[in-house]
Amino acid sequence: MRQPAALGTATWPEVETRKDAVADLTLLVPVGAVEQHGPHLPLDTDTRIAVAIATRAGERAPSNSWVAPELSYGASGEHEGFAGTISLGHEALHQVLLEYGRSACRWAGRIVFVNGHGGNVATVAGAVARLRYEAREVAWYPCVFPDADAHAGHTETSILLHLSPGLVHTGRLEAGNVAPMRELLGAMRAGGVAAVSGNGILGDPRSASAEHGARLLDGAVDDLVRALTEWTVDDGGRLR
């Protein structure tokens, strides 16, 4: 393992020295959210997961990979029924990502937005599509996990128990709405998550474990490292 180059703590001459190899310089940009994650998980859960995946992948990815400071706010309107949530909305997020990509591509050969919040997906994909139309080598990668529940349940709680156990309030673990998402979407579109879950949880975190979280995170990191090495971008701008 090597320490990935951290853009936020670098100086401009250190970045300048990489410009001779600009075609190979890849910038990993964690994109998250500040939103409720039930009574037991921190508001920055999605950002923490995106940062962890980007940073750990940067340790193993091609040597000219850098990890940028995270973009911590996203489009989280569906969670605004709960205190603490801060949403930029889709239009503002789209513009931020667009201007970010245009600026960073002046010196970076490739940019990957590592997205940790499902509500950001359409906006991230749309911004990436525009940047690619402008002939910039930009892609996005989703932080997804096999057999995951929807929100603040077993999956995210397991990952946080591995990443930040001191921030998981285990005494507050309780089940949320465990109905399939297809049954909840109509009510959620009308009234957000609060319309279907009083505690903000879609799933059941009570069976979560740090060991399972470590396996989930390792799998996501392995997949991102593979994707960065192969660099296959589909028609939707997603790094496959």
Side-chain angles (χ1 to χ4, degrees):
M1 295 289 183
R2 61 176 176 80
Q3 187 67 27
L7 183 67
T9 57
T11 63
W12 77 260
E14 291 170 328
V15 179
E16 180 75 14
T17 60
R18 303 293 187 97
K19 289 183 70 175
D20 290 340
V22 68
D24 298 319
L25 196 161
T26 300
L27 184 66
L28 304 176
V29 186
V31 182
V34 176
E35 62 181 38
Q36 72 84 20
H37 272 77
H40 63 293
L41 293 182
L43 294 164
D44 67 351
T45 288
D46 292 343
T47 305
R48 283 179 181 273
I49 292 172
V51 169
I53 291 174
T55 301
R56 294 184 185 193
E59 294 173 349
R60 295 167 44 199
S63 60
N64 210 8
S65 297
W66 290 61
V67 179
E70 61 269 24
L71 296 175
S72 298
Y73 295 92
S76 301
E78 69 274 21
H79 295 284
E80 286 184 321
F82 297 87
T85 298
I86 300 174
S87 174
L88 294 184
H90 296 287
E91 184 177 348
L93 179 61
H94 177 89
Q95 196 63 31
V96 166
L97 296 173
L98 201 57
E99 295 303 331
Y100 189 111
R102 288 168 175 166
S103 180
C105 279
R106 295 176 66 86
W107 52 266
R110 293 171 171 173
I111 297 174
V112 180
F113 292 112
V114 181
N115 178 52
H117 171 47
N120 292 341
V121 167
T123 306
V124 173
V128 167
R130 177 65 191 186
L131 290 164
R132 292 184 65 80
Y133 174 79
E134 296 173 354
R136 294 175 170 90
E137 195 60 55
V138 180
W140 67 281
Y141 182 87
C143 300
V144 294
F145 307 95
D147 302 318
D149 48 9
H151 187 74
H154 175 87
T155 301
E156 289 184 317
T157 304
S158 292
I159 294 170
L160 264 291
L161 282 170
H162 168 62
L163 281 180
S164 304
L167 295 180
V168 180
H169 298 274
T170 54
R172 303 177 189 170
L173 294 178
E174 60 187 31
N177 193 328
V178 297
M181 280 298 294
R182 64 180 179 274
E183 297 178 9
L184 304 178
L185 283 176
M188 284 178 57
R189 289 192 181 105
V193 174
V196 299
S197 175
N199 61 11
I201 301 171
L202 301 176
D204 189 345
R206 291 176 297 177
S207 61
S209 72
E211 293 76 18
H212 184 57
R215 290 194 297 272
L216 291 173
L217 202 66
D218 286 346
V221 171
D222 288 346
D223 189 63
L224 179 52
V225 171
R226 175 204 55 76
L228 289 167
T229 303
E230 297 175 1
W231 196 260
T232 300
V233 183
D234 68 15
D235 292 340
R238 176 174 170 173
L239 188 64
R240 292 291 183 177

